[in-house]
Amino acid sequence: MTASETPLRPTAFKDWRLGLDRPLLIAGPCSAESEEQVVDTAKAIDALGIVKVFRAGLWKPRTRPGSFEGAGMDALPWLQRVKAETGLLTMTEVATAQHVEACLKAGVDMLWIGARTTPNPFSIQEIADALRGVDIPVFVKNPINPDLQLWIGALERLANAGITRMGAIHRGFSWFERTPFRNSPMWEFPIRLKAAFPDLEVLCDPSHIAGSRDKLGGIAQQALDLGLSGLMVEVHHDPANACSDAEQQLTPKDYKKLMDSLIFRQAEPTEGMQDRLQGLRDLIDQLDEEVLQKLGTRMDIAERIGDEKRIQQVAILQPERWDSIMRRVLALSEHLGLSASFVAEFMDAIHRESIRRQSWEQAGTQLGGLPMDNKNEKDKVLKNEDPFN
Ligand code: PEP
Ligand code: MN
């Protein structure tokens, strides 16, 4: 689907007619557990004077059965009390049409769709159909698997149903290897979503990315530094005894401390800053050009080596040579203050491209020797087109 065909026409918080603005702060417990827990937590959050929206999960999608699954429908009147007794808007997660209908009837102000629901187009369509003709803000969390199209697709299904006030929430992705966090942040996903839809409000849920109180601050700051539109944080009046996600929830007091410690940057640079930024950006452009020129030269040389290997009938992949290159650059990267993982990834991409170029040289000989200076044919191979038709 091209940009002109997508039904997604996001609007900014300021046009949502709810008095919301960036950065939007949403806070509240992972689950609604009891009336007392919900109302106490909401009042303590309201008293901080910085939060606009109270979150609480009524229906909890648990990975395995046997865990606390939320208070369900019984908790709707508790959210109504929060609405009546504080200045906070209320928000909860919906996963079925039945949830949607109950929330609309109870006057819940906003909805979110959870990370386990987003990847299922049938569920999303069911929710979208239940929302048809209803004007309520809906946030879509990223799918648990890193798939930008599924995330966008869910937003589009809501747009097709007529929802105009919608946002996205970045909560990280499940990952098969151990990561320092509960979910891998993979910041390139919210960045790519923002790049495709600049007006879309993309929040961050640092609680579910971090998975623990000590790592929350770093993730929250990074989200703000990237210009995301706000934070949804899990806050509980008694985290140690929470029925779900006890390790990552903050007390209202610790939440305030954390918010006070964060740097909320202006989304747009001020005028004096523009000049300084421009100077630095010119420098970056210049350096990018130099990096690309050097890469071009490096690839030319790799091709000459490929010619040699072809003439001598030597294998393209020489693992010992590659090991020694990696050792050398990793030692150098340490001196230059570059992270080893970044340099390893960068070098790996260069290596793959060199091999691809050299493979073409050899494929030519093996298949009867294409003229090596035939630029048209070569371009086709480099673009993955078949040179033999
Ligand atoms: C939640 O917000 O409590 C929740 C279940 O989050 P997610 O869908 O991101 O796992
Ligand atoms: Mn949670």
Side-chain angles (χ1 to χ4, degrees):
M1 190 174 286
T2 65
S4 59
E5 286 165 345
T6 180
L8 213 50
R9 304 271 178 271
T11 53
F13 287 145
K14 59 177 169 37
D15 300 321
W16 286 19
R17 306 179 308 277
L18 285 168
L20 305 179
D21 215 340
R22 294 181 196 166
L24 177 65
L25 297 185
I26 301 175
C30 176
S31 320
E33 300 166 6
S34 69
E35 180 161 4
E36 184 226 352
Q37 171 249 7
V38 165
V39 175
D40 268 17
T41 307
K43 286 189 173 168
I45 289 173
D46 189 37
L48 303 175
I50 52 172
V51 174
K52 285 273 169 55
V53 186
F54 177 76
R55 64 147 283 158
L58 269 50
W59 299 276
K60 299 305 298 176
R62 306 314 298 268
T63 302
R64 298 183 62 192
S67 317
F68 177 67
E69 295 190 328
M73 302 287 177
D74 293 348
L76 285 165
W78 310 343
L79 289 189
Q80 286 173 326
R81 258 194 79 188
V82 169
K83 218 175 137 167
E85 295 176 28
T86 71
L88 299 167
L89 297 170
T90 55
M91 181 183 196
T92 197
E93 172 173 346
V94 288
T96 66
Q98 212 190 2
H99 297 164
V100 171
E101 279 145 24
C103 287
L104 294 175
K105 212 161 135 216
V108 176
D109 298 292
M110 296 186 187
L111 306 174
W112 86 80
I113 294 173
R116 288 161 194 76
T117 306
T118 307
N120 185 341
F122 291 124
S123 301
I124 296 292
Q125 195 55 53
E126 177 187 320
I127 293 169
D129 290 341
L131 286 166
R132 206 170 285 280
V134 178
D135 189 21
I136 185 171
V138 185
F139 286 88
V140 178
K141 288 196 167 195
N142 64 260
I144 44 173
N145 56 319
D147 184 330
L148 189 61
Q149 296 306 314
L150 276 173
W151 201 0
I152 294 173
L155 291 159
E156 286 177 331
R157 283 178 196 277
L158 294 173
N160 279 337
I163 295 291
T164 58
R165 297 179 291 175
M166 69 175 88
I169 301 178
H170 172 47
R171 49 76 78 200
F173 299 91
S174 292
W175 197 240
F176 67 102
E177 286 166 330
R178 283 161 67 91
T179 71
F181 307 111
R182 177 176 175 186
N183 287 299
S184 173
M186 296 191 195
W187 293 105
E188 60 270 31
F189 282 83
I191 291 170
R192 279 161 62 198
L193 186 64
K194 279 294 282 186
F197 301 99
D199 294 327
L200 181 68
E201 302 287 7
V202 183
L203 304 181
C204 178
D205 167 350
S207 304
H208 288 91
I209 295 178
S212 63
R213 282 178 274 281
D214 59 320
K215 299 202 177 75
L216 246 165
I219 296 289
Q221 187 62 62
Q222 195 151 359
L224 296 175
D225 292 349
L226 288 171
L228 296 195
S229 302
L231 301 170
M232 177 198 255
V233 175
E234 286 189 341
V235 177
H236 190 290
H237 73 156
D238 182 12
N241 292 305
C243 295
S244 59
D245 289 351
E247 319 73 40
Q248 71 196 29
Q249 302 206 59
L250 296 172
T251 60
K253 206 165 129 224
D254 285 344
Y255 170 74
K256 176 70 164 57
K257 245 196 250 164
L258 176 68
M259 292 302 116
D260 286 345
S261 74
L262 296 174
I263 301 164
F264 289 83
R265 300 179 200 282
Q266 282 166 298
E268 305 291 337
T270 57
E271 235 172 70
M273 214 175 135
Q274 281 288 18
D275 295 344
R276 289 195 303 281
L277 276 185
Q278 197 49 53
L280 293 171
R281 283 176 176 154
D282 290 346
L283 251 170
I284 292 264
D285 290 347
Q286 175 65 33
L287 286 169
D288 282 348
E289 232 173 79
E290 285 173 27
V291 169
L292 283 182
Q293 282 164 1
K294 294 249 183 279
L295 276 177
T297 309
R298 195 193 187 284
M299 290 304 158
D300 287 345
I301 294 173
E303 278 190 15
R304 276 166 56 190
I305 292 176
D307 285 348
E308 275 303 316
K309 288 178 182 165
R310 172 175 53 85
I311 291 162
Q312 306 295 333
Q313 298 287 330
V314 170
I316 294 168
L317 195 59
Q318 300 284 326
E320 311 77 41
R321 166 67 181 147
W322 185 243
D323 275 358
S324 87
I325 290 181
M326 283 306 274
R327 268 200 304 277
R328 219 171 65 81
V329 296
L330 287 176
L332 188 60
S333 65
E334 209 182 318
H335 286 298
L336 296 173
L338 293 167
S339 93
S341 61
F342 162 66
V343 171
E345 251 177 67
F346 180 70
M347 290 304 294
D348 190 51
I350 291 178
H351 190 216
R352 271 186 278 126
E353 176 64 4
S354 292
I355 288 178
R356 198 168 71 88
R357 297 245 189 155
Q358 295 188 352
S359 305
W360 186 86
E361 307 281 351
Q362 284 207 348
T365 19
Q366 279 151 19
L367 288 156
L370 272 178
M372 290 300 161
D373 55 354
N374 184 337
K375 280 287 171 208
N376 279 344
E377 297 300 324
K378 190 166 185 172
D379 281 350
K380 281 191 190 171
V381 177
L382 294 178
K383 284 188 213 145
N384 270 337
E385 291 168 9
D386 183 1
F388 304 112
N389 58 18

